[in-house]
Amino acid sequence: MGIFSSGIEGKRVFYKTNDEIEMMRKANLVVSKTLGHVASLLRPGITGAEIDKAAEEFIRDHKGRPAFKGYGDADNPFPGSLCISYNDIVVHGIPSKREFKEDDIVSIDCGVELEGFYGDAAFTFAFANVGEPTMELLSVTYASLYRAIEQAVHGKRVGDIAFAVQEYCERQHKYYVVRDLVGHGVGRSLHEDPEVPNYGKRGKGPLLLDGLVLAIEPMINLGTRDVYQDEDGWTIHARDRGPSAHYEHSVAVRKSKADILSTHEFILEAIKNNKSLKEVYPKN
Ligand code: MG
Ligand code: MG
């Protein structure tokens, strides 16, 4: 889950020790396996609420706590364990009784707290009848995530990550980077500093140092950068109601190369065995 650029909590940058990074890898492994389990369940006719219930059970069976459940202000806490954001919903969709359809795309975002540390990852799935223009949006967005991760190296800056996404998605592929939502630091809190926008200038912004852990999460729309929030206080839509894509990994900044703490391998394996879903790969 991204946060609005004002930020919600954290407000400090924390560098993790090697032991803490291994704790975060464990939390992210539960996230990653949960998303793989979700990928095995997705089919037309199943509801977001059913997926959410299965995910919550899976997380608790693995000794984790669903980090999104109850998140936010006391008067309107997030009700689900997953954010389930289909079609024009960018992020923060509330699991509902709506049944998935054969031409849906759906971003499923999972956060887990395990032994005091948080993991956070997301993947946008495509059902079997999704058309080529939307598949291209997913593939480009997915590729932009890995381009961003390449920049998560000691001595670079947040702007290098931001620029990598914007350059690829906007300038090369003419899509739109959502401005109002951003990636974030992650650790003992779900949202720590720094904010990690998906647009920006090379060489600008906070310095990245070894041990910083970031949730990098491009949110890319087909037709507009603008978004609006539902009256439910959570759901974020693309202003034009066109499709929106979102992929996320939790990544540790290291000296020579970023260390990706979450993995999509369980998802990709499950998609291969699920005829209701199309395979999505980062665009070459
Ligand atoms: Mg997330
Ligand atoms: Mg996140």
Side-chain angles (χ1 to χ4, degrees):
M1 118 182 339
I3 51 175
F4 280 98
S5 52
S6 59
I8 296 172
E9 61 179 349
K11 292 297 109 194
R12 280 188 64 190
V13 175
F14 299 95
Y15 300 96
K16 280 74 179 179
T17 64
N18 289 342
D19 285 349
E20 288 171 333
I21 287 174
E22 292 317 308
M23 299 282 284
M24 294 192 69
R25 201 187 307 279
K26 280 173 68 181
N28 275 291
L29 186 59
V30 178
V31 168
S32 302
K33 287 182 173 175
T34 302
L35 288 171
H37 183 54
V38 163
S40 73
L41 299 175
L42 283 172
R43 57 175 169 76
I46 199 166
T47 69
E50 289 169 319
I51 295 289
D52 189 66
K53 183 165 179 287
E56 178 170 0
E57 286 173 9
F58 190 93
I59 291 166
R60 295 195 192 280
D61 284 349
H62 289 76
K63 312 285 180 227
R65 182 182 66 81
F68 301 163
K69 194 152 198 164
Y71 184 88
D73 294 337
D75 61 352
N76 188 26
F78 192 77
S81 293
L82 302 171
C83 293
I84 298 187
S85 308
Y86 53 86
N87 300 335
D88 66 302
I89 302 176
V90 180
V91 285
H92 303 174
I94 295 174
S96 74
K97 291 189 171 152
R98 176 189 177 276
E99 296 181 356
F100 287 115
K101 301 191 176 100
E102 286 179 349
D103 60 351
D104 282 345
I105 56 170
V106 58
S107 155
I108 301 201
D109 194 341
C110 181
V112 167
E113 185 253 315
L114 183 76
E115 297 170 14
F117 287 92
Y118 285 82
D120 189 5
F123 191 93
T124 302
F125 297 89
F127 284 83
N129 287 357
V130 172
E132 204 38 53
T134 301
M135 291 306 297
E136 178 83 1
L137 172 70
L138 300 188
S139 183
V140 167
T141 305
Y142 199 7
S144 78
L145 171 62
Y146 288 105
R147 284 170 176 252
I149 290 170
E150 282 176 15
Q151 300 299 315
V153 177
H154 180 84
K156 297 251 189 187
R157 290 183 180 271
V158 167
D160 294 309
I161 294 174
F163 178 85
V165 175
Q166 189 180 15
E167 168 67 20
Y168 189 65
C169 294
E170 287 195 342
R171 280 181 279 276
Q172 291 190 41
H173 290 282
K174 310 300 175 198
Y175 296 135
Y176 295 86
V177 170
V178 173
R179 266 55 173 183
D180 291 349
L181 298 128
V182 296
H184 50 93
V186 57
R188 288 185 188 274
S189 301
L190 181 59
H191 295 128
E192 297 180 352
D193 280 346
E195 294 186 341
V196 185
N198 296 301
Y199 63 96
K201 292 191 167 69
R202 257 182 199 154
K204 302 287 186 189
L207 189 60
L208 305 177
L209 298 176
D210 189 65
L212 183 65
V213 182
L214 302 174
I216 300 178
E217 47 182 319
M219 290 158 264
I220 309 297
N221 294 347
L222 184 69
T224 177
R225 68 169 69 167
D226 296 328
V227 300
Y228 69 93
Q229 189 173 49
D230 263 357
E231 287 172 7
D232 64 20
W234 286 104
T235 314
I236 306 289
H237 295 265
R239 176 73 66 187
D240 65 352
R241 308 299 300 265
S244 180
H246 173 221
Y247 293 86
E248 178 180 30
H249 273 310
S250 293
V251 174
V253 174
R254 304 260 70 173
K255 286 269 164 58
S256 59
K257 189 171 182 290
D259 183 1
I260 307 176
L261 304 180
S262 47
T263 172
H264 289 158
E265 67 179 299
F266 303 106
I267 294 174
L268 297 174
E269 193 57 36
I271 291 176
K272 275 189 192 154
N273 296 311
N274 183 342
K275 292 201 162 38
S276 299
L277 299 175
K278 273 191 172 173
E279 296 188 51
V280 184
Y281 288 109
K283 186 180 176 69
N284 278 321

